[in-house]
Amino acid sequence: DDGLVMVRSVEVQGLYRVSERSVRDQIAQRVGAPLDAGTVSDDIERIYRLGFFDDVQVGRRSTGDGGVELIYLVDERPTINAIRYEGQDELDTDELEKVVDIRRYAILSVPQIERNMDKIRELYIDEGFYLADVNYKLVDLEDNLVELVFDIQEGREVEVKTGTFLGNKALDDTLLRSSIATREGHFFSFLDQSGQFKRELFQQDLHRLQFVYQDKGYIHARIDEPVVTLSPDKRFMHITLHIEEGERYDVSEVTLQGDFIGPKEEVEALVTLKAGEVFSRGKVMADVTAIGDLYRDAGYA
């Protein structure tokens, strides 16, 4: 067919660090075959989907014999040569690097950068900086390299203004507060000395509250994650803890079984939790420790 335009050669231009093979693997238009506009269009889409390029275009040069030379021209995204953090004071670089998963020599990906900006913001929230914000900038270097800089505005810490228990009926606020209030003048011990919320300490107080309930017989009590709200000016935080107490359990029977190194009565004398009493996690732990000490003292490490 005299109307066919034959492809005499295929070139790839614009590459820096992406291998030519990876691009050619996406090209279905073959040398020696007629030029097919639909195939070339699909080639462009497949190359773009590799995620390494900001733009993909195809040019053509006539060979003068009824054929063409195709040129796939790619705009390769820069390679990250270094990652730097600016503006951080409260958190060390090591702490930031633990949450950031972008590595040196990675091809620049804006969605990946944005995901990591969110990770940095979450880290600051965990540390009580609810007003922290993160942006990024790129410093151009030679050879299509860039330096990625995370620009951090930490903002001020948010002070906890109020803390509220909801759902507690069997145990009053005073008892619950006293079980976790480790600093005078503060409601929760997961606040630092200036009243700032520290999420990593919350789990410790959560266990303390659960222990208090279990020590009072409420073995299925559940304390949900705190609900945190900010004041309109974002200076103060209000924390609400919702509690599901469940039912209180009494002890119906206490038995001992296993290997005894002496009279069973000697071990039974160490048990302070008695049938008919309200279940107490504290007494169980104390009894386990006392029995363990008896055996350890006898040489059973």
Side-chain angles (χ1 to χ4, degrees), residues 131-287:
L131 304 182
D133 194 19
V134 186
N135 293 293
Y136 79 95
K137 60 185 177 182
L138 301 173
V139 180
D140 291 328
L141 306 174
E142 296 179 350
D143 298 327
N144 205 38
L145 295 171
V146 294
E147 181 182 44
L148 170 61
V149 181
F150 286 106
D151 184 16
I152 301 170
Q153 296 85 44
E154 293 180 329
R156 64 179 181 272
E157 290 182 297
V158 180
E159 182 179 349
V160 176
K161 193 72 172 178
T162 61
T164 305
F165 292 113
L166 292 180
N168 56 310
K169 298 178 180 179
L171 305 186
D172 60 27
D173 289 2
T174 301
L175 175 60
L176 297 179
R177 289 174 182 174
S178 66
S179 68
I180 61 175
T182 59
R183 297 184 182 91
E184 183 178 356
H186 292 300
F187 181 14
F188 294 119
S189 62
F190 50 80
L191 310 184
D192 70 7
Q193 293 180 352
S194 60
Q196 314 307 328
F197 178 75
K198 297 295 181 182
R199 186 177 297 275
E200 77 274 9
L201 297 180
F202 171 73
Q203 290 298 327
Q204 299 176 20
D205 279 343
L206 184 63
H207 292 313
R208 291 190 186 100
L209 288 173
Q210 288 176 328
F211 181 86
V212 169
Y213 268 99
Q214 291 175 356
D215 199 46
K216 301 295 184 182
Y218 296 88
I219 62 177
H220 295 309
R222 191 182 75 184
I223 297 93
D224 293 336
E225 286 285 331
V227 176
V228 177
T229 56
L230 295 177
S231 61
D233 60 6
K234 296 185 178 180
R235 291 184 57 195
F236 302 106
M237 177 191 306
H238 305 275
I239 299 178
T240 302
L241 279 176
H242 185 265
I243 299 172
E244 294 183 14
E245 294 179 325
E247 296 184 5
R248 194 187 75 173
Y249 287 80
D250 296 334
V251 178
S252 61
E253 185 180 8
V254 179
T255 61
L256 295 171
Q257 61 184 17
D259 300 322
F260 297 96
I261 57 176
K264 184 177 181 180
E265 291 75 19
E266 182 181 4
V267 182
E268 288 176 333
L270 299 174
V271 178
T272 60
L273 187 65
K274 306 298 183 183
E277 296 180 349
V278 174
F279 176 82
S280 167
R281 178 68 67 186
K283 283 189 176 182
V284 171
M285 294 176 62
D287 292 347

Side-chain angles (χ1 to χ4, degrees), residues 80-99:
I80 297 173
N81 186 58
I83 302 172
R84 185 158 50 87
Y85 304 89
E86 291 183 351
Q88 86 278 16
D89 181 53
E90 297 294 333
L91 298 182
D92 295 333
T93 299
D94 290 345
E95 296 177 87
L96 297 171
E97 289 177 341
K98 289 179 181 178
V99 301

